[in-house]
């Protein structure tokens, strides 16, 4: 259990823009920040972060919440684990019981696997630095490669000893269950059923971190020269590791990728680390797999620009053309850098100085058309058929680019390089796009990225009024609208002060209450039970806390561990009634705050009126004739203790009441 004060401290400290900013690039848009939603694939940003309100909301998929909810959703963590994650980020100490093996067993499986992987990483690092075998074999290898102590520590490199049972023994000593180490891909059961053997025995270890910095897998490199031993062994797919969704180094590179607005893509672990050593920190690797769409989407969270760094091996480069097309298709700009023959980023960065490397990169980075053309043009010399093939190949790539402006720029470029009329290329590109669209038509309903940013939650005033009028009849017949308004006010303004008259043994006095107390008083007087169970749950919780003078505020509900309550709170916080942007929403809320009495009374009155209307309907049906409105008003005035014969209120149809 995390003590309540610590929970409060974590929630108060965590800044939504900082937490979300760890996972996606955010651009300022007015008072808010905007980015690409990490929860659903999108190409134009509809993910809004409001630093002032401390919440995020995606207008595409509807996900929203406070920092803790973001971490729960993104990192697949429970509520307490998400709090622990935030505590770690903000260096807030949590005083709770030490994690004993028994305690670990209680945690969910995913967490146990991650803790086992973290244990393995520490063990391998300690072995690298503190054992003779580690120092002689592992450390000297890394030093030979030019990795500094700082870089070895940063990437948490390690060494797994030759002795096969080493890992299993250490595991048991520390009270970890082999079951989770097996599920983490660290050990495998022996065929004869006697214990396990370590997957990585006798290898230098490269931990693979997820975007939040936790170790989720390993790559192990052997230093033996024997041909029958695989140079690299990687973790298998596990419950916490899907290699097609992970980029090696991204956790360390993401800040610099945002700063440089460019992501360098290399092939292997050593390439990433060497580039870091050379001072290039915006670099990641798709190690162990050819580039996947998921990996490109990860990059897209931070930048739209990718530079692929290739070693000078022509066969490998041709095989990677598919990767270029995938990147283009995801709407990213791709540039390519080819290292001299026989060199890769790792070897070349060690050969030249850092500034020479920078000069080399600047001078030799090409756009993909020049790159492809330069690479293939030699083969097409004097062969018109091959030349046509190359053009077709490039046109196919261009046709994948979603943005028409960028497409057109590339058409010009291709026209120039291949000396072919622009118009011909344009019509080819368009033909291909039509074909692709038809092909995709049955795959997805609406082409992604062609939505406008304005979604349901952001409808303009006019649209909304219109829609509300259409729904009016429906609303009028349904009490849930009035219930919603009362709970909305309770959640938004429950802890605000309100002046109310109290009758103390005949003496009337003004007294300051909390809004939630007034609502509690009014509804309890009616013995009101909410039809909607979520609303009743919120109400019950408010009553319980009111009893101990703890008045819940909007922040409490926005952070609620119950998703239904949380989503409701975000919804009302985000979209009061008919608003277009956050600033105006604030104005709206301010008006309600200034007239808090009217707001509260109006909502309760509307709810009562609704109840009475229902009663009236029932009574009328029973009596077989209708009660007149005047009679009705009298009835209400009586109930509300108001002067008879006067029409104090008019029902506006929006659950809002205006005093006349
Ligand atoms: Zn979304």
């Amino acid at each position: 259990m995390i003590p309540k004060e610590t929970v409060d401290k974590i929630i108060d400290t965590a800044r939504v823009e900082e937490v979300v900013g760890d996972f996606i690039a955010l651009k300022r848009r007015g008072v808010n920040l905007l980015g690409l939603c990490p929860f659903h694939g999108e190409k134009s940003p509809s993910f809004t972060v409001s630093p002032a309100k401390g919440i995020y909301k995606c207008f595409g998929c509807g996900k929203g919440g406070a920092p803790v909810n973001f971490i729960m959703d993104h990192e697949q963590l429970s509520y307490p684990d998400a709090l622990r994650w935030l505590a770690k980020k903000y260096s807030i100490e949590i005083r709770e019981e030490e994690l004993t093996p028994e305690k670990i067993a209680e945690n969910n499986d995913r967490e146990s696997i991650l803790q086992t992987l973290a244990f393995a990483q520490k063990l391998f690092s300690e072995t690298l630095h503190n054992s003779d075998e580690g120092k002689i074999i592992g450390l000297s290898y890394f030093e030979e490669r030019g990795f500094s102590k700082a870089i070895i520590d940063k990437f948490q490199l390690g060494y797994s000893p030759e002795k096969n049972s080493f890992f299993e023994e250490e595991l048991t000593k520390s009270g970890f269950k082999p079951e989770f180490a097996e599920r983490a891909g660290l050990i495998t059961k022996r065929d004869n059923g006697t214990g396990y053997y370590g997957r990585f025995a006798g290898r230098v270890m490269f931990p693979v971190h997820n975007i939040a910095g936790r170790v989720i897998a390993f790559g192990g490199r052997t230093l033996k020269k024997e041909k029958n031993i695989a140079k690299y062994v990687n973790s298998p797919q596990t419950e916490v590791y899907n290699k097609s969704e992970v980029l090696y180094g991204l956790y360390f590179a993401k800040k610099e990728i945002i700063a440089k607005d460019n992501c360098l893509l290399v092939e292997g672990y050593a390439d990433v680390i060497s580039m870091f050593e050379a001072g290039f920190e915006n670099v990641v690797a798709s190690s162990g797999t050819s580039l996947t769409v998921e990996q490109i989407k990860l990059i897209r969270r931070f930048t739209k620009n990718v530079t692929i760094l290739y070693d000078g091996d022509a066969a490998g480069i041709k095989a990677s053309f598919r990767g270029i097309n995938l990147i283009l298709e995801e709407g990213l700009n791709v540039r390519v850098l080819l290292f001299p023959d026989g060199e890769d980023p790792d070897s070349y960065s060690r050969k030249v100085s850092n500034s020479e490397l920078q000069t080399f990169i600047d001078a030799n980075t090409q756009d993909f058309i020049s790159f492809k053309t330069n690479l293939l043009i030699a083969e097409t010399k004097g062969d018109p058929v091959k030349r046509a093939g190359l053009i077709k190949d490039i046109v196919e790539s261009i046709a994948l680019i979603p943005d028409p402006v960028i497409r057109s720029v590339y058409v010009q470029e291709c026209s120039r390089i291949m000396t072919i009329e622009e118009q011909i290329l344009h019509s080819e590109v368009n033909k291909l796009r039509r074909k692709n669209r038809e092909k995709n038509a049955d795959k997805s309903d609406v082409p992604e990225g062609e939505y406008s940013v304005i979604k349901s939650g952001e409808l303009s005033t006019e649209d909304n009024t219109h829609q509300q009028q259409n729904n009016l009849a429906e609303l009028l017949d349904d009490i849930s609208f009035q219930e919603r308004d009362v709970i909305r006010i309770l959640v938004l303004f429950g802890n605000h002060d309100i002046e109310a008259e109290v009758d103390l043994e005949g003496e009337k006095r003004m007294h300051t209450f909390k809004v939630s107390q007034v609502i509690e008083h009014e509804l309890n007087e009616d013995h009101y039970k909410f039809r909607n169970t979520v609303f009743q749950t919120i109400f019950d919780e408010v009553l319980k806390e009111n009893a101990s003078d703890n008045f819940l505020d909007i922040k409490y509900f926005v952070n609620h561990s119950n998703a239904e309550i949380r989503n409701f709170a975000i919804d009302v916080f985000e979209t009061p009634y008919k608003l277009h942007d956050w600033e105006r929403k604030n104005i709206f809320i301010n008006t309600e705050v200034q007239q808090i009495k009217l707001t509260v009374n109006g909502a309760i009155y509307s709810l009562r009126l609704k109840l009475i209307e229902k009663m009236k309907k029932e009574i009328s049906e029973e009596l077989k004739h209708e009660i007149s409105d005047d009679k009705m008003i009298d009835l209400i005035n009586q109930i509300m203790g108001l002067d008879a014969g006067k029409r104090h209120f008019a029902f506006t149809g929006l659950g809002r009441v205006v005093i006349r």
Side-chain angles (χ1 to χ4, degrees), residues 37 39-40 47 58 60-62:
C37 177
F39 301 115
H40 82 282
F47 189 86
C58 173
C61 66

Side-chain angles (χ1 to χ4, degrees), residues 34 54 58 63 87 108 120 140 169 215 381 463 546 550 598 624 630 633 635:
L34 206 60
C58 173
K63 288 234 184 222
N108 65 47
S140 60
E169 283 163 22
V215 175
K381 275 225 170 80
D463 292 345
N546 276 0
N550 178 29
L598 186 61
K624 306 282 178 227
D630 284 341
I633 295 292
L635 196 64

Side-chain angles (χ1 to χ4, degrees), residues 84-101:
R84 287 188 190 100
W85 190 100
L86 290 170
K88 197 173 164 214
K89 176 176 169 66
Y90 289 100
S91 313
I92 295 168
E93 195 190 350
I94 300 182
R95 286 183 188 278
E96 53 180 337
E97 319 134 65
E98 269 283 302
L99 279 177
T100 59

